[in-house]
């Protein structure tokens, strides 16, 4: 539920970026992908209700937490980070004073984001933008705590030649084109062979990433002004069904899903 404050912040952002040059922005985000959610995972089904109305439901397996960036010129590499089935054995949260045992972060932390994710965005952004002579590109990131530490902001501002996009309004998946890419990857994953290990899942995600075309990305970037206009028209309310998943996937996803199917 959007509060009045959330709506005002979304409205201010949309109004201030209605005619923005989005082609110079890298959209970034992270997502959890879970193993064995496809309807083909018959061997992993469990019975969840008693006779006579037996219902088969998918038993969710391990998951991967990945980051990625989206530009009008292409996608960055996927970066697998801590969380899901990838335990954190590097970044220490604290040390038990009695036992001296190290306690690690349960998921991705600010240090991991700064050391493993931002450098990939910077390196891939240089390749994607500079080869098109667009050097002053900006980085978009959401308001997650690890993104908003002083060190994360300082590093992101330094690595992206154009700095950071204005603070992203919370609860705004309808404004973010990377949500469509995640939805497309999830749909594509459901049409592929069942993954049984985290390594297979990562390989499948990279296969899907490799066949996402520039036409798809250009369609997404073309939709951004309409998203901002919708937000303004709705006075900051969320137009979640307009562009977030349904409209985009039906319009542009079919050719890609067929490509994924043929690829495998």
């Amino acid at each position: 539920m959007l509060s009045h404050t959330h709506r005002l912040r979304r409205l201010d952002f949309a109004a201030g970026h209605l005619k923005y040059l989005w082609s110079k922005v890298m959209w970034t985000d992270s997502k959890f992908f879970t193993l064995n959610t496809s309807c083909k995972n018959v061997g992993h089904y469990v019975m969840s209700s008693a006779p006579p109305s037996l219902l088969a439901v998918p038993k969710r397996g391990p998951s991967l937490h990945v980051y990625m960036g989206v530009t009008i010129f292409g996608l960055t590499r996927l970066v697998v980070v801590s969380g899901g089935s990838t335990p954190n054995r590097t970044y220490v949260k604290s040390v038990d004073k009695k036992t001296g045992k190290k306690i690690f972060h349960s998921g991705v932390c600010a240090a991991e984001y700064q050391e493993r994710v931002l450098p990939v965005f910077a390196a891939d952004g240089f390749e994607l933008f500079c080869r098109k002579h667009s050097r002053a590109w900006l980085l978009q990131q959401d308001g997650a705590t690890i993104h908003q530490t002083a060190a994360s902001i300082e590093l992101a501002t330094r690595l992206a030649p154009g700095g950071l996009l204005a603070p992203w309004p919370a609860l705004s998946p309808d404004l973010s084109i990377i949500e469509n890419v995640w939805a497309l990857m999830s749909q594509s994953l459901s049409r592929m062979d069942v993954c049984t290990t985290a390594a297979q899942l990562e390989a499948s995600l990279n296969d899907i990433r490799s066949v996402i075309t520039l036409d798809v990305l250009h369609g997404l970037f073309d939709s951004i002004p309409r998203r901002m206009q919708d937000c303004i028209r709705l006075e900051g309310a969320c137009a979640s069904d307009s562009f977030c998943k349904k409209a985009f996937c039906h319009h542009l996803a079919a050719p890609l899903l067929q490509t994924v199917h043929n690829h495998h």
Side-chain angles (χ1 to χ4, degrees), residues 72 177 215-227:
I72 198 169
I177 61 172
D215 285 343
V216 169
L217 300 181
H218 292 168
L220 283 173
F221 275 85
D222 288 344
S223 76
I224 297 175
R226 298 196 299 274
R227 297 169 192 248

Side-chain angles (χ1 to χ4, degrees), residues 22-114:
W22 292 105
S23 60
K24 65 179 183 179
V25 175
M26 176 189 289
W27 296 78
T28 70
D29 193 21
S30 71
K31 181 175 175 59
F32 283 90
F33 285 93
T34 304
L35 289 169
N36 304 330
T37 58
S38 167
C39 62
K40 294 185 289 187
N41 300 335
V42 178
H44 297 278
Y45 277 17
V46 294
M47 306 313 294
S48 63
S49 61
S53 57
L54 291 175
L55 176 66
V57 297
K59 181 179 179 181
R60 293 187 174 237
S63 62
L64 284 183
H65 188 193
V66 300
Y67 270 87
M68 189 175 68
V70 176
T71 79
I72 198 169
F73 304 118
L75 305 175
T76 71
R77 288 166 287 172
L78 287 170
V79 183
V80 178
V81 296
S82 300
S85 303
T86 308
N88 188 327
R89 296 194 179 95
T90 303
Y91 298 93
V92 179
K93 183 177 183 179
S94 60
V95 178
D96 190 296
K97 294 182 179 179
K98 293 183 178 179
T99 64
K101 183 179 179 181
K102 295 179 179 178
I103 301 173
F104 297 94
H105 286 273
S106 58
V108 63
C109 62
E112 184 173 7
Y113 180 66
Q114 295 156 23

Side-chain angles (χ1 to χ4, degrees), residues 173-195:
D174 56 318
L175 301 182
S176 174
I177 61 172
I178 199 169
E179 296 293 341
N180 300 103
V181 178
W182 292 139
L184 186 54
M185 292 178 73
S186 294
Q187 287 188 41
S188 301
L189 190 64
S190 71
R191 297 193 177 194
M192 298 172 69
D193 293 336
V194 175
C195 301

